[in-house]
Amino acid sequence: MPKTLSRRTLLRGAGVSIGLPLLESMSPNRLLSAAGKSSQPPLRMAFFYVPNGMHMPDWKPTQEGFKYQLTPTLERVADYRDQFNVLSGLTLDGARAHGDGGGDHARSVAAFLTGAHPRKTNGADIQNGISVDQATAQYVGDRTPFASLELGLEASAQAGNCDSGYSCAYASNLSWRGPTSPMAKEIDPGALFDRLFAGQTVKETKTALSIREKYRKSILDFALEDAKRLHRVLPTVDQRKLDEYLYAVRDVEKRLGGAERLRLTEDGVPDYPRPSGVPKELEQHSDLMMDMVTLAFQTDSTRILSFMFTNAGSNRSYKQIDVSEGHHELSHHGKSEHKQAQIAKINRFHLDRFAYLLGRLRSVPEGRSNLLDNSLIVYGSGISDGDRHNHDDLPILLAGSGGGRIKTGRHVAYKNGTPLCNLYLWMMHQMGADAKAFGDSTGLLSLS
């Protein structure tokens, strides 16, 4: 058996630095640490936000515990029922008006990860709070190349009036480094791929991208010799894991290359190895970004991540699922059966995209389990019913068992009004962030 590998081992070559998945040779569970305890895979935390609330009758189960019946919307993640909990009764008080009038959509995003009540302004004097992902990154972010990643499918804005006098900075940014510092999202899967797998410095990255453009090479071609050298000294189980991982990286890279139609020269050769930019089809765009999330966690590039499907108050239509009206317009359904049915279809479409991520994470073995098991992933919205604009009894799903820290497969109903930040404070503690409080928390949420 080879010498134990460092968790930070990289495959290198010509401006490329490729992180590796957790291998048995990296202080695996069967190897004992100096303290005599088994080494455990790292824990990840992530937050996925959907806009305009939820059609709650199709979301919230009526029974509690392990034997609850999946609702029509939750049926979309039925294959992962044993690996998530549905949490009801959690409340986001910071998203309420508190005398500020309209603007529930912008407030719901600004408050979702901060628990704060944002100052109502569309000027430069924005004021919010630090978000849970950034607060946690202050404790553990130095353990990975990226302290956190901020991702989405629609670009962030930092100025303008987006919702009843609230700045677009509130409506389009989920993550906040501090009260006046929103973290802009990366929405281009190709750009994210380059961040994860190009060089460790700006100069190395530019060199790698330049050579790839010129010779139309895969990023793996640069590190091929290093990969072969490592492969020769690994035990069989790690050789298989390495092969599967490198195949996944190349597969994603190929799909990035096909995200938009390439122009061809007369001999049929593409002008470029792959285009930059965002895929036009939302489903393809989302699935590529979910592949990036999987690779980021698999390589331990980061352990903290936030993701917005669309910005607050999005009025996008979803013609691919036969919804031609705008999402925001439909959310003000006025109890119209047609509009509620359309909203439910959009909710299911978003959850389908999330289900794709759950499947990708579960397919990656890690230690004695898999990436999904070794994660805590929140999916939900800061608005409950889009017509009422209420911020209590929120639609929240918590996927992953946190490395065995919680029992999954349940609907857990809390007293309505329980701060959502109680969940976040508990998650921070599991990540190793010894915070006494967060946002409007009143204590640790009980997940036993």
Side-chain angles (χ1 to χ4, degrees), residues 9 202 212 260 285 330 333 381 420 425:
T9 299
V202 173
R212 287 166 62 192
E260 294 179 1
H285 184 192
L330 288 168
H333 52 74
S381 182
L420 177 62
L425 183 62

Side-chain angles (χ1 to χ4, degrees), residues 103-234:
D104 288 274
H105 290 280
R107 283 195 302 262
S108 71
V109 172
F112 190 67
L113 294 189
T114 67
H117 180 75
R119 173 187 289 163
K120 189 167 190 176
T121 178
N122 57 22
D125 57 335
I126 56 174
Q127 185 78 22
N128 194 14
I130 187 171
S131 55
V132 60
D133 58 323
Q134 297 305 305
T136 307
Q138 290 181 357
Y139 287 89
V140 301
D142 59 351
R143 300 176 187 177
T144 54
F146 299 96
S148 64
L149 289 175
E150 297 73 45
L151 311 175
L153 302 180
E154 286 186 357
S156 294
Q158 308 303 343
N161 181 359
C162 274
D163 186 9
S164 304
Y166 279 98
S167 170
C168 296
Y170 296 130
S172 63
N173 294 289
L174 192 61
S175 178
W176 290 70
R177 186 172 56 211
T180 61
S181 304
M183 304 283 285
K185 306 185 295 293
E186 176 60 73
I187 67 169
D188 183 343
L192 179 56
F193 185 91
D194 292 336
R195 285 177 64 187
L196 293 178
F197 296 110
Q200 298 294 293
T201 66
V202 173
K203 182 178 180 181
E204 286 181 346
T205 299
K206 288 182 177 179
T207 299
L209 295 179
S210 175
I211 297 175
R212 287 166 62 192
E213 281 286 307
K214 183 176 181 180
Y215 296 105
R216 303 188 182 101
K217 284 190 172 184
S218 161
I219 198 166
L220 296 180
D221 291 333
F222 294 96
L224 188 58
E225 290 304 314
D226 210 13
K228 288 180 178 178
R229 176 196 56 77
L230 179 60
H231 194 278
R232 286 193 295 267
V233 300
L234 290 175

Side-chain angles (χ1 to χ4, degrees), residues 91-104 107-108 111 115-120 166 389 391-392 440:
T91 297
L92 192 61
D93 184 65
R96 289 169 167 155
H98 293 297
D100 284 341
D104 288 274
R107 283 195 302 262
S108 71
H117 180 75
R119 173 187 289 163
K120 189 167 190 176
Y166 279 98
H389 280 177
H391 308 286
D392 64 319
D440 64 347

